[in-house]
Amino acid sequence: HTIEESGRSYVTYENLALKYAGAHGIGGGSTHHITVRGCDISFIGGGDQYGGGVRTVRFGNGIEFWGGAHDNLVEGCRIWEVYDAALTNQNGGADVKEYNLIYRNNVIYNSEYSFEYWNRPETSETYNIQFVNNTCVNAGHGWGHTQRPDPSGRQLCFYASPAQIHDVVIKNNVFYESVTNSIYAPQWTREQIDALALDHNLWYQAAGTMMNLKDHPYTMAQFAQYRQEYQQDAHSLVADPLFVDIAAHDYRLQPGSPCIDAGTDLGCPTDITGAAVRAGRTPDLGAYEYVARP
């Protein structure tokens, strides 16, 4: 790891560039009151997790909160070219609680997963998680995709997770293009999906299965059917977000972007640049508030 923080609390990492770790950019279990703000995290992962043999798995996340984690905040970061997940909280094997974790106003691109979550066993619990006002672009388009033994490319990756889950908010985000799925949760029950509050997001995936849910895949053209059958994303959009320059990784919004004033107030007064949400207006979708330029 670039930063190994197991057992740490009340630490702030701010305005750091973290690069070239074989495991995680920031990783460790049993953390609380951690703040990661304004950091640039890239070219992370690809290390052999188990040391070869039949269990060879290459791994590496931008920021991982492992095991019992609570009251942690990640905001205003740029996370890109990550072998596995840009952001994740996950647990396996221990009975823990993960709660009060906030990921907001981050720009994520060219990572295999923008956000990954799972928690095991069923006696564990996850609650009060916010993934809000993030701009997530081109999942699976990064350096590690074709090197993986299991290439996928997903915006939201939810593996089998029998732990109790409630009050998980996924709102005001932009999810633009992924190699396979914008949402991957084929092992989740309807009750688990219902525990997610998905709304006021913008989705765009021109080809393939956009929502890979239990017993039913949905393409982008079937978004209305997904919305009706799952009762999620009631105010969300399916559209091109109209970024300023995708090739240059400039994900600010052009005039006329459907993201402008399409969000809901989640208590974020500023965007990733520090620009204020305009008085009397609803927030824009993604990490950037639209600012008119001469």
Side-chain angles (χ1 to χ4, degrees), residues 43-154:
F43 293 99
I44 298 297
D48 187 339
Q49 186 169 7
Y50 295 117
V54 296
R55 297 191 67 204
T56 294
V57 173
R58 295 171 65 192
F59 76 134
N61 302 313
I63 299 172
E64 176 186 286
F65 298 126
W66 175 261
H70 64 89
D71 295 284
N72 294 341
L73 169 66
V74 179
E75 66 176 356
C77 295
R78 188 174 72 140
I79 307 171
W80 49 291
E81 295 291 354
V82 175
Y83 181 87
D84 216 59
L87 297 170
T88 182
N89 53 279
Q90 54 188 250
N91 172 67
D95 185 350
V96 303
K97 291 185 178 181
E98 296 184 333
Y99 60 95
N100 297 348
L101 304 178
I102 299 175
Y103 310 93
R104 69 186 180 199
N105 285 342
N106 301 291
V107 170
I108 299 166
Y109 61 92
N110 290 7
S111 297
E112 195 70 7
Y113 316 125
S114 294
F115 178 65
E116 178 186 351
Y117 162 76
W118 50 275
N119 191 356
R120 308 165 192 148
E122 64 276 1
T123 49
S124 290
E125 186 178 7
T126 301
Y127 60 95
N128 292 347
I129 310 297
Q130 294 186 31
F131 189 87
V132 298
N133 282 102
N134 300 292
T135 295
C136 305
V137 179
N138 288 341
H141 288 240
W143 68 271
H145 180 77
T146 58
Q147 302 183 39
R148 294 177 64 98
D150 57 346
S152 50
R154 303 160 182 153

Side-chain angles (χ1 to χ4, degrees), residues 226-294:
Y226 147 79
R227 181 159 51 188
Q228 180 180 17
E229 293 178 356
Y230 274 85
Q231 298 296 298
Q232 293 279 13
D233 283 301
H235 303 93
S236 295
L237 306 172
V238 172
D240 187 329
L242 298 181
F243 295 131
V244 169
D245 191 338
I246 294 174
H249 308 299
D250 186 345
Y251 304 124
R252 294 175 298 166
L253 304 175
Q254 296 184 42
S257 167
C259 298
I260 297 172
D261 297 335
T264 188
D265 186 1
L266 298 173
C268 298
T270 62
D271 72 356
I272 188 173
T273 69
V277 175
R278 291 164 291 168
R281 305 289 289 272
T282 54
D284 298 342
L285 303 183
Y288 293 100
E289 275 290 300
Y290 172 71
V291 178
R293 289 172 283 278

Side-chain angles (χ1 to χ4, degrees), residues 192-245:
Q192 288 177 303
I193 296 295
D194 288 345
L196 306 177
L198 287 151
D199 204 3
H200 293 278
N201 300 300
L202 182 141
W203 304 90
Y204 187 88
Q205 184 175 322
T209 298
M210 190 164 78
M211 312 296 193
N212 188 351
L213 303 178
K214 186 176 178 63
D215 302 324
H216 204 314
Y218 299 90
T219 65
M220 188 167 69
Q222 296 172 311
F223 183 78
Q225 181 184 356
Y226 147 79
R227 181 159 51 188
Q228 180 180 17
E229 293 178 356
Y230 274 85
Q231 298 296 298
Q232 293 279 13
D233 283 301
H235 303 93
S236 295
L237 306 172
V238 172
D240 187 329
L242 298 181
F243 295 131
V244 169
D245 191 338

